Amino acid sequence: MMFDIGKVNILEVIGKVVDLKPVGSEYRGLCPFHSEKEPSFFVNKEKGVYHCFGCGAKGNVITFLKEYYGYSYYEAIDYLSKEFGIEIDVYNFNKEKKVQKLIEITYNFYHNYLMSNFDLLKRVSKFKNLKLKTIKYFKIGFSNENLLSYIKNNYPDLYNEEILIKSGLFYKKENDIKCLFENRIIIPIYNKSNKVIALMGRYLGEISNSTPKYIFNKNSFSNDEKYFYNKISIKTNAKIFICEGVFDALRFFDYNLPAFAILGNTNKFDFIKHTNCDIYIAFDRDDYEKILNGNINNSLISSLIKSLIDTKLDKLHIFDYSSNKEAIEPDETPEFFVNIENYQNIYSFLSNLYEKSPLEKKIVLENFVVELYSKIGSYSKRKLFINNLSYNLRKALLGNKKAKVIDAETEIKSDILLKAITDYNDNVSVEEILSQLDEELKQIFINYLRREMTAIYENPKYKRIFELTKQKMVV
């Protein structure tokens, strides 16, 4: 859709919720996305963008409407066009509205079908231990082959091949229009503004290679991030649970706890970065075991930690599978996952992983720690990260000895090194640090220097250690 965003005054939109004061060529105020006492939120009228130096929130006026009010892209366009008298492509805009209406009609039709069929309702409820109140509240349904004829007879304005295909609920095969969902439990996918952005179908039967367990309609109009929100208010809760699947999130609903299920990219949880809530990562055991086996790059847990480490450093909590042997996943063993005592902070999580990893896998975890360190923006946060990780790592490896007692074994040499780099002063013996490094850890340090070379070299505080290290190593 063509939309002239240049005609929008971003100050008028953001100024409705933020008290903005001119500072040079920009405007400044308290960030609406996180709690702060000193303003770090800036708006540039000429460029039409905003940026918070406190939590990292940034974007244009459409981004703001999506993040602050929970609007979809098209809802934001509709609001701005009316607010500023901007013409839009009415033809395409009306098609988008019809697609949204079709999705709403579909999940209501499937829900009514399930609720009117007692035997099927009983089967679906037993299949995933779904309570009747949950099925009603989320309008969970079951696919029915009569959907197309129902639309044709009751909504002739939507019985249009282009609209049907664009909704992603139907597809064309040999000149016939076919329903996407067949023999599936249908769950509407809600975003954080309680809007249904897609439908998910879970197959009820034996799964084969040709029959995927889960499928989603691909709505060509919707560019919302695909995640499922269980609709428990996050404004009145100090914690948010993030899990893998929709049924996991529904289980948290049974305990009145807010949860989001990841259905796409873990890097797109910007709205979570900007909340003041503690984050509890409740992924399945098999994902945790990927990390134990050194397969960190393919782990959802590690991807989410990397995405949130800068803004949620001290508010990240990961489920402790090592201490909860019988826990499998929230859907099957919810009693473990709803108890926040069963979660570890980021420092304990990394330290315990390091302790339990075999020697050949420790190098992978060390690289992961260095990568996390590089994603933390401020010096004070980096120092906090290293100090706390150092303490927890020593405790894990040495028992309950004092944190200042440092073992000379390979397992914690990289920890000593990173701490020395962060806290370096004239009293630190660089030669002593270098003498402790074996070839494996030298490579860790080399990788670290490559990432941070510019910052280290430009800072006189670190210049000496950089020069001495270059003399000792062949890069």
Side-chain angles (χ1 to χ4, degrees):
M1 176 189 293
M2 297 297 293
F3 179 77
D4 189 357
I5 198 171
K7 294 181 178 180
V8 175
N9 184 341
I10 192 171
L11 291 179
E12 288 187 27
V13 177
I14 298 180
K16 291 183 177 181
V17 294
V18 179
D19 184 18
L20 297 169
K21 305 292 184 184
V23 179
S25 60
E26 296 187 313
Y27 291 78
R28 183 177 65 184
L30 294 173
C31 180
F33 298 110
H34 81 287
S35 178
E36 62 179 7
K37 295 181 179 179
E38 296 296 327
S40 60
F41 183 82
F42 288 81
V43 181
N44 188 308
K45 180 182 178 182
E46 297 303 318
K47 295 180 180 179
V49 296
Y50 65 90
H51 182 246
C52 176
F53 290 92
C55 69
K58 61 182 178 180
N60 59 22
V61 67
I62 294 176
T63 313
F64 183 86
L65 291 172
K66 290 173 69 176
E67 295 298 329
Y68 187 80
Y69 294 105
Y71 287 175
S72 70
Y73 175 79
Y74 281 90
E75 286 172 333
I77 294 296
D78 187 35
Y79 170 82
L80 294 173
S81 65
K82 293 174 181 176
E83 191 76 7
F84 294 93
I86 302 172
E87 291 186 5
I88 59 174
D89 185 343
V90 176
Y91 175 71
N92 277 317
F93 194 76
N94 286 337
K95 281 198 297 185
E96 189 273 339
K97 286 185 175 180
K98 287 184 177 181
V99 165
Q100 291 298 328
K101 184 178 178 181
L102 182 58
I103 291 174
E104 181 181 351
I105 289 167
T106 298
Y107 71 73
N108 277 298
F109 174 78
Y110 285 151
H111 174 67
N112 292 334
Y113 171 68
L114 176 62
M115 296 303 295
S116 63
N117 190 323
F118 180 76
D119 290 337
L120 182 60
L121 179 62
K122 189 175 172 182
R123 184 184 173 198
V124 168
S125 178
K126 185 178 179 180
F127 177 68
K128 280 293 185 178
N129 194 27
L130 292 172
K131 297 179 179 179
L132 183 59
K133 71 168 188 176
T134 304
I135 292 174
K136 288 182 177 180
Y137 187 74
F138 289 94
K139 289 189 173 292
I140 295 171
F142 198 84
S143 57
N144 182 292
E145 61 184 12
N146 295 321
L147 173 64
L148 193 60
S149 59
Y150 172 77
I151 293 170
K152 181 179 181 181
N153 295 331
N154 295 277
Y155 301 93
D157 60 318
L158 301 180
Y159 191 74
N160 173 287
E161 183 176 314
E162 183 182 13
I163 301 299
L164 294 172
I165 300 300
K166 281 186 178 296
S167 72
L169 298 168
F170 303 89
Y171 64 96
K172 197 169 183 179
K173 183 178 181 181
E174 297 176 356
N175 293 323
D176 288 330
I177 303 295
K178 303 284 187 180
C179 292
L180 174 69
F181 300 116
E182 183 179 347
N183 194 33
R184 291 183 181 272
I185 302 170
I186 306 300
I187 300 180
I189 302 301
Y190 295 86
N191 66 8
K192 68 179 186 298
S193 58
N194 286 338
K195 178 187 174 185
V196 175
I197 56 174
L199 301 184
M200 182 191 83
R202 205 296 186 185
Y203 192 71
L204 190 62
E206 291 188 16
I207 304 298
S208 65
N209 292 334
S210 60
T211 307
K213 185 185 292 187
Y214 297 99
I215 58 174
F216 298 82
N217 69 307
K218 296 179 179 178
N219 175 5
S220 63
F221 279 113
S222 175
N223 61 358
D224 290 88
E225 290 305 323
K226 296 297 189 295
Y227 56 82
F228 175 84
Y229 170 41
N230 74 354
K231 303 207 288 184
I232 300 296
S233 174
I234 60 176
K235 293 181 181 179
T236 57
N237 283 274
K239 50 188 173 290
I240 296 174
F241 292 84
I242 302 181
C243 45
E244 276 189 56
V246 170
F247 291 104
D248 295 329
L250 290 175
R251 195 64 66 239
F252 283 106
F253 170 80
D254 292 340
Y255 291 84
N256 200 37
L257 293 170
F260 289 85
I262 290 180
L263 306 176
N265 193 332
T266 58
N267 294 319
K268 301 300 183 181
F269 275 67
D270 286 343
F271 64 91
I272 287 180
K273 296 178 185 178
H274 306 148
T275 69
N276 289 317
C277 298
D278 280 68
I279 306 300
Y280 292 82
I281 301 176
F283 288 167
D284 298 354
R285 179 177 287 277
D286 58 351
D287 197 76
Y288 169 76
E289 290 177 348
K290 285 181 184 178
I291 301 178
L292 273 183
N293 295 326
N295 196 10
I296 290 181
N297 291 332
N298 291 322
S299 161
L300 282 173
I301 294 175
S302 60
S303 296
L304 190 58
I305 290 174
K306 284 189 286 187
S307 175
L308 298 175
I309 189 70
D310 186 33
T311 56
K312 291 293 181 183
L313 179 58
D314 276 346
K315 290 182 176 289
L316 273 178
H317 312 270
I318 303 94
F319 187 79
D320 183 8
Y321 274 107
S322 61
S323 301
N324 296 277
K325 305 294 186 183
E326 296 179 5
I328 302 172
E329 58 184 66
D331 178 28
E332 295 186 27
T333 52
E335 63 276 11
F336 291 98
F337 294 89
V338 299
N339 184 356
I340 61 174
E341 298 298 323
N342 291 333
Y343 291 76
Q344 311 170 84
N345 62 32
I346 184 66
Y347 313 112
S348 296
F349 173 73
L350 292 172
S351 301
N352 290 336
L353 269 179
Y354 199 78
E355 179 190 16
K356 291 173 173 58
S357 297
L359 187 60
E360 66 273 12
K361 304 296 184 184
K362 291 188 188 297
I363 181 69
V364 179
L365 193 56
E366 287 170 346
N367 276 318
F368 180 61
V369 170
V370 172
E371 186 176 0
L372 291 181
Y373 183 88
S374 69
K375 289 182 177 294
I376 301 173
S378 70
Y379 171 77
S380 59
K381 282 186 179 180
R382 288 185 173 194
K383 187 173 181 178
L384 178 70
F385 176 69
I386 291 301
N387 284 347
N388 288 341
L389 182 58
S390 300
Y391 176 80
N392 279 271
L393 188 55
R394 290 169 197 150
K395 263 182 74 173
L397 294 170
L398 305 175
N400 289 321
K401 294 184 179 181
K402 292 182 179 179
K404 65 180 181 180
V405 177
I406 298 178
D407 195 313
E409 294 298 318
T410 300
E411 283 86 348
I412 59 172
K413 286 177 186 172
S414 59
D415 167 63
I416 299 169
L417 179 64
L418 284 176
K419 181 168 173 51
I421 293 170
T422 304
D423 294 340
Y424 171 72
N425 57 56
D426 291 336
N427 297 321
V428 175
S429 169
V430 178
E431 289 77 11
E432 182 181 345
I433 296 170
L434 294 174
S435 68
Q436 296 184 58
L437 300 176
D438 56 22
E439 291 301 318
E440 185 179 83
L441 292 172
K442 282 181 183 178
Q443 191 58 48
I444 291 287
F445 192 24
I446 290 169
N447 291 341
Y448 175 84
L449 287 176
R450 284 174 178 163
R451 286 191 180 95
E452 302 295 320
M453 189 174 290
T454 302
I456 293 174
Y457 194 82
E458 289 179 352
N459 191 330
K461 183 177 179 182
Y462 297 123
K463 190 169 183 179
R464 178 168 159 265
I465 191 172
F466 179 75
E467 294 296 343
L468 285 171
T469 303
K470 280 207 306 185
Q471 295 172 21
K472 296 277 184 177
M473 298 181 183
V474 177
V475 182

